[in-house]
Amino acid sequence: MLRSLTLFAISLPLVALTAAAALPQKKPAPKKPAVTTSKKTTTTTSVGTAAFERDVLPLVQKYCVGCHTAPKGSGGINLSGEKNFAAALKGRVSWERVEAAVLEKRMPPSGVPQPSDAERKKLGQTLESLFSQADCQINDPGRVTMRRLNRAEYNNTLRDLLGVDLRLADAFPNDDVGYGFDNIGDVLSLSPLLMEKYLSAAAKASRAAIIAPEDKPSSVKVLAGQLKGPGNVTGEGYLLSSNGEASFEFDFPAPGDYTIVVRAGASPAGPDIDFPNKKRGPEPAKMGINVGGKPAVTVAVTTGPSNLQPYRAKIAIEQPGKQKVGAAFLNDFYDEKLPPERRDRNLTVESIEIQIPEDVQKRTIKRELPFSHRKLVIEMPDDSTDAEWDRAAKAVLAPIVHRAFRRPVTSDEVRRLVGLSRMAKSQKQSFEKGIQFALQGILVSPSFLFRPEPDAKPDDPSFRRQLNDHELATRLSYFLWSSLPDDELLALADQKKLQAPGVLLAQAKRMLKDPRSRALADNFAGQWLQLRKVGVMQPDTVRFPAFNEQLRQAMRTEPDLFFTGIVQEDRSILEFLDSDYSYLNETLAKHYGNTSVKGAEFQRVPVLPGQRGGILSMAAVLTLTSNPGRTSPVKRGKWVLENLLGTPPPPPPPNVPELEAQKGATQAETLRKRLEIHRTNPACANCHTQMDAIGLALENYDAIGKWRLDDGGKPIDVSGVLPDGSKFDGPKELKKVLLGKKSQFTKTMTERLLTYALGRGVERTDKCNLEAMAKTVAAKGYKFSAIVEAVITSQPFRERRGDESTSPRR
């Protein structure tokens, strides 16, 4: 206890600084850029007013003001009072909506006079040009709130720093999301609970990475996030919703009687049965505690999923070495005819613990130290003097803290860590135990938990600067790897060579080919394309009996491998819209009607022309954009508009009934006709015209992404027309239409990637940067490396400014 309190006291200044730097932030809101008035600004505003009055105002007066006028303009937009460009700048949000609606032919509504294509183009291009000029004048690199490592970044950083993959952050509270991502500085707050988790995780990580002679582990506990099997991790633990085993591999050090403790809970299901104690009730879940893939003990799990309890089994191990240890769900049950509380039997496993017998601890032969220990403890004291201890501790800790803090460290920082290590010496403990103490101090430091970019004038919005080499290296590594810089990148930062664009680009290309770039699929694509939701999808298995956990896992794997392949092979980003290949295993291939793929391993294979290719035809996307019991053209169309074209529709107006509740909709023969009835409501028509057309073109795919030609025996009509006149018939022609909008898709993906890379929302002043970036990507053949190059060489990525919001209140 004394040792823990002392460690906490020494770490407290670091923890306090962390907490002060990371008080809960407000949800992200657009920030006002630093604007300075100049003759140039005034001149450009005058020029803008002339163009606005010549090319925009007459068209607005002719086609728009009739509906959009004071006091209550249609859709909340009033255009009657803005007579010059300066006024339009103040009401810019409304004018940008006008620009988009006119260009996409969503406005004016049908039945009223329409502008010609030339008039639409003139209005849209003039507004876009004027706003872009105003933005580019500001020349604002923006400001990123100091970011805490999110859960994925914490796990990856520990793995790459220490050489142990513990996934301790899986037990942390979920990170908040802003602008579609969970790495946004404005929402990554630090709660007291999370601080406690950091302290606990630091202790666990240091003991796992460094083996002290006095540490005799009496047990090994593996949490849900480290288990493998056919299930998925939820808030309660590892959920097995069908028969299967959640397991991990354990290296038994010697023969002996080991106790295995599985902390689990379950939802009983089924009709009442008689039990030996004469009570009646549904059958509980049966759980097998397995070793080496063989059942050792079977127990009945009688506690609920929100009341997990330990279940124990003593097992004799005759042969030492690695064996699989697991908890198996043995009696899956589902019957939709029963009441909800008895319908579905599942098993939840929170953790599996192996308790090592005392006699095994005493007689276990000393084995080779793990890689992490050999990597970190590069020196040992030659004798027992304080000076020799300090020398060895400094040699060990200096490179660790340099990598952990991702910057040069001061001699005072190293000295304090050496002093922390000497706590062990004062208590007659080992040198390794002292390094553990110091490592805990490193892992709760704000320089580890946060990514600070301190400014000389943090409260001056006009002060701007280039990032230094170490800040640039950190931005790059967490962008591409969700982890800290490796030795090569850190060495270049130490040598101050990263500012050269050629060096930075070469490092980015190297890092994209590294397996760690898989983090882009997990953390960027998983959120951009909403693929993380696949783990919680619940299709109606009565209507779609082919859906099970095995298919769910295959669905989730396909887009991950597809995205990673584009990244690591530097392929065209347009393959997201259409491709002639994908990655399938036997389960998913069979679902797609392909019988040539065999085995559980995924392989790259050609797809059926016209049916598959690109992310739109992947079962994961098609299922997450469906309802449990049927497809949803509205959800699918909205998904395309939001994620691929960057034109999300506004929220639906209040008091509009759901499709099934619409008068006459339930009597309509087809989903297309039901949607037509829904669009008769003028409040719904404008947005649904575009969403429905896109979604209906994907009706050849059912609610779990399986190809079909009819729906309930009725032929499917997959034709459609967009407001801009684009026509298509089915998914193949829809993809051609989307490829015709490749510049819009490129700009959308660039904006999403820039948001993710910066850790802040893209602001209006970034617009001119985005335009230039998207054009660069197109000029370089739409290669993935081109979009990464555009991001990392952009002004927002390489610079930052002060912020007036940090000024003290007066």
Side-chain angles (χ1 to χ4, degrees), residues 718-729:
V718 289
S719 62
V721 181
L722 293 180
D724 65 2
S726 301
K727 297 181 180 180
F728 43 83
D729 190 359

Side-chain angles (χ1 to χ4, degrees), residues 400-475:
I400 296 175
V401 72
H402 179 36
R403 290 199 66 211
F405 290 1
R406 307 170 285 272
R407 59 166 173 79
V409 293
T410 66
S411 58
D412 185 59
E413 287 174 318
V414 176
R415 179 186 57 77
R416 281 187 290 160
L417 291 169
V418 170
L420 191 55
S421 77
R422 287 184 64 179
M423 287 172 51
K425 192 173 192 299
S426 68
Q427 298 176 17
K428 302 186 184 308
Q429 293 184 301
S430 67
F431 177 76
E432 295 92 335
K433 178 60 67 175
I435 298 301
Q436 286 183 357
F437 289 168
L439 183 55
Q440 290 181 56
I442 291 171
L443 297 181
V444 295
S445 166
S447 292
F448 174 76
L449 296 173
F450 284 81
R451 294 166 48 188
E453 295 171 349
D455 293 324
K457 299 178 181 179
D459 57 350
D460 182 358
S462 65
F463 176 78
R464 52 185 292 172
R465 68 173 180 87
Q466 276 197 329
L467 299 181
N468 64 41
D469 288 74
H470 290 92
E471 292 166 340
L472 198 56
T474 298
R475 279 200 181 187

Side-chain angles (χ1 to χ4, degrees), residues 709-773:
L709 295 176
D710 62 78
D711 182 9
K714 296 181 175 61
I716 297 171
D717 181 359
V718 289
S719 62
V721 181
L722 293 180
D724 65 2
S726 301
K727 297 181 180 180
F728 43 83
D729 190 359
K732 184 177 180 179
E733 292 186 6
L734 173 62
K735 290 180 204 175
K736 289 181 180 179
V737 170
L738 293 177
L739 284 169
K741 300 177 182 292
K742 58 188 175 185
S743 60
Q744 190 174 347
F745 168 72
T746 302
K747 185 177 176 182
T748 300
M749 185 175 177
T750 303
E751 180 179 338
R752 298 291 192 275
L753 203 63
L754 183 65
T755 299
Y756 177 79
L758 294 178
R760 68 165 173 82
V762 169
E763 301 167 9
R764 291 170 180 158
T765 49
D766 296 312
K767 189 171 182 180
C768 57
N769 288 309
L770 281 172
E771 295 286 351
M773 291 160 70

Side-chain angles (χ1 to χ4, degrees), residues 186-485:
D186 284 339
V187 300
L188 287 171
S189 58
L190 179 63
S191 65
L193 172 61
L194 181 55
M195 195 66 246
E196 290 179 13
K197 295 284 188 182
Y198 279 146
L199 291 167
S200 174
K204 291 177 182 177
S206 63
R207 289 196 298 268
I210 297 171
I211 307 303
E214 58 266 49
D215 286 342
K216 295 178 179 178
S218 60
S219 67
V220 174
K221 188 175 185 179
V222 175
L223 301 176
Q226 298 166 263
L227 297 175
K228 300 186 183 302
N232 58 288
V233 180
T234 68
E236 286 77 31
Y238 194 93
L239 174 65
L240 289 165
S241 55
S242 59
N243 287 345
E245 182 185 43
S247 65
F248 70 101
E249 197 171 65
F250 179 71
D251 192 356
F252 289 93
D257 293 331
Y258 293 76
T259 299
I260 299 178
V261 183
V262 179
R263 190 172 178 83
S267 50
D272 285 342
I273 60 174
D274 291 321
F275 291 96
N277 59 6
K278 296 183 180 181
K279 290 183 178 180
R280 290 174 60 82
E283 182 181 359
K286 292 182 180 178
M287 178 176 70
I289 300 178
N290 298 349
V291 176
K294 299 177 182 178
V297 175
T298 299
V299 297
V301 180
T302 56
T303 54
S306 59
N307 181 31
L308 297 105
Q309 297 294 327
Y311 295 84
R312 303 171 184 272
K314 182 169 281 190
I315 299 173
I317 299 298
E318 298 179 355
Q319 294 293 331
K322 292 183 178 180
Q323 296 192 60
K324 187 166 70 169
V325 178
F329 183 27
L330 303 176
N331 62 334
D332 184 29
F333 176 89
Y334 181 85
D335 186 348
E336 70 164 355
K337 297 177 181 178
L338 293 176
E341 67 274 11
R342 295 185 174 214
R343 183 176 299 167
D344 190 12
R345 185 184 302 137
N346 298 311
L347 176 68
T348 300
V349 178
E350 180 189 74
S351 63
I352 302 177
E353 180 183 3
I354 299 177
Q355 297 179 352
I356 302 171
E358 187 175 347
D359 64 318
V360 170
Q361 297 177 46
K362 291 179 179 178
R363 62 188 167 85
T364 299
I365 300 173
K366 185 178 180 181
R367 292 143 68 188
E368 183 181 7
L369 291 168
F371 166 77
S372 59
H373 184 108
R374 290 179 279 118
K375 172 186 177 181
L376 300 172
V377 186
I378 57 176
E379 286 282 341
M380 291 290 290
D382 292 334
D383 56 46
S384 60
T385 63
D386 289 350
E388 183 59 19
W389 178 292
D390 290 356
R391 179 201 65 79
K394 181 178 180 181
V396 171
L397 293 170
I400 296 175
V401 72
H402 179 36
R403 290 199 66 211
F405 290 1
R406 307 170 285 272
R407 59 166 173 79
V409 293
T410 66
S411 58
D412 185 59
E413 287 174 318
V414 176
R415 179 186 57 77
R416 281 187 290 160
L417 291 169
V418 170
L420 191 55
S421 77
R422 287 184 64 179
M423 287 172 51
K425 192 173 192 299
S426 68
Q427 298 176 17
K428 302 186 184 308
Q429 293 184 301
S430 67
F431 177 76
E432 295 92 335
K433 178 60 67 175
I435 298 301
Q436 286 183 357
F437 289 168
L439 183 55
Q440 290 181 56
I442 291 171
L443 297 181
V444 295
S445 166
S447 292
F448 174 76
L449 296 173
F450 284 81
R451 294 166 48 188
E453 295 171 349
D455 293 324
K457 299 178 181 179
D459 57 350
D460 182 358
S462 65
F463 176 78
R464 52 185 292 172
R465 68 173 180 87
Q466 276 197 329
L467 299 181
N468 64 41
D469 288 74
H470 290 92
E471 292 166 340
L472 198 56
T474 298
R475 279 200 181 187
L476 181 65
S477 64
Y478 280 96
F479 170 31
L480 301 182
W481 287 349
S482 295
S483 186
L484 79 177

